Amino acid sequence: MIIERIDQVDDQRIAPYRLMREPALLQQQGLFIVERRRAVERLLTQSHFTVQSVFATEAAYRALESIMTRPNATAPVYVTTREIMNEAAGFNIHHGCLAAVYRGKSVSVEALLARPPTPSLIAVAEHVSDSDSVGALFRNAHAFGCHGIVLTKSSA
């Protein structure tokens, strides 16, 4: 990964993070945002999604540096202060780490259910329009050991 410093909130490299409160605009760009160090770590080590970039405070970068600087890591990492990150996002990012991720192709429910393990625990949510609620859904699904989550197209 390329490590770059961000010193201005209006830097175009972090444009997706300024759209966090506008999920429809993010969706139009084919992106979603992952928040929290543990979630970004899992994204970088276990996910099939393609990461567009990572946006992290110095502390979060140091905590995840070994993952972010692996030879196969290709997405740029933008390192900044907590103040710039919070201003860009429009709220306090408690864990100091975000990732912009390409949505990729949708997976059918049948394909999701056909993946091991069988039986699978799948969470299903309709019309969850608030991105904070989607984040809570993912955290709870992880806590309960879900193998997948199905969101309708109208969800954030």
Side-chain angles (χ1 to χ4, degrees), residues 2 6 8 18-19 24 37 44 49 52 60 64 71 90 101-102 107 113 122 126-127 133-134 137 139 156:
I2 299 168
I6 301 293
Q8 300 288 327
R18 289 193 301 271
L19 296 176
R37 284 185 205 175
L44 294 173
F49 287 101
Q52 187 247 17
L64 298 175
V101 185
Y102 293 106
V107 177
L113 292 173
I122 307 294
E126 272 191 289
H127 311 296
S133 297
V134 172
L137 172 67
R139 288 188 296 278

Side-chain angles (χ1 to χ4, degrees), residues 21-41:
R21 290 292 183 189
E22 301 291 338
L25 293 176
L26 272 171
Q27 188 172 16
Q28 287 175 3
Q29 294 184 14
L31 295 170
F32 65 93
I33 303 292
V34 172
E35 181 184 351
R36 301 174 72 92
R37 284 185 205 175
R38 186 167 290 156
V40 171
E41 178 181 8

Side-chain angles (χ1 to χ4, degrees), residues 3 12 21-22 26 28 50-51 53 59 64 68 74 89 93-94 98-99 104 107 112 115 128 139 151 155:
I3 313 302
Q12 280 307 107
R21 290 292 183 189
E22 301 291 338
L26 272 171
Q28 287 175 3
T50 301
V51 178
S53 65
L64 298 175
M68 292 184 187
T74 58
I93 305 296
H94 299 287
L98 303 168
V107 177
L112 183 62
R115 292 181 182 169
V128 182
R139 288 188 296 278
L151 296 171
S155 293

Side-chain angles (χ1 to χ4, degrees), residues 22-94:
E22 301 291 338
L25 293 176
L26 272 171
Q27 188 172 16
Q28 287 175 3
Q29 294 184 14
L31 295 170
F32 65 93
I33 303 292
V34 172
E35 181 184 351
R36 301 174 72 92
R37 284 185 205 175
R38 186 167 290 156
V40 171
E41 178 181 8
R42 189 168 184 187
L43 170 73
L44 294 173
T45 59
Q46 300 176 22
S47 176
H48 68 277
F49 287 101
T50 301
V51 178
Q52 187 247 17
S53 65
V54 176
F55 189 34
T57 61
E58 297 278 352
Y61 170 70
R62 283 192 304 274
L64 298 175
E65 184 174 10
S66 64
I67 293 167
M68 292 184 187
T69 57
R70 294 176 307 167
N72 64 339
T74 58
V77 177
Y78 303 126
V79 180
T80 194
T81 64
R82 180 172 297 282
E83 293 77 20
I84 289 175
M85 177 174 277
N86 290 344
E87 188 176 345
F91 60 95
N92 188 14
I93 305 296
H94 299 287

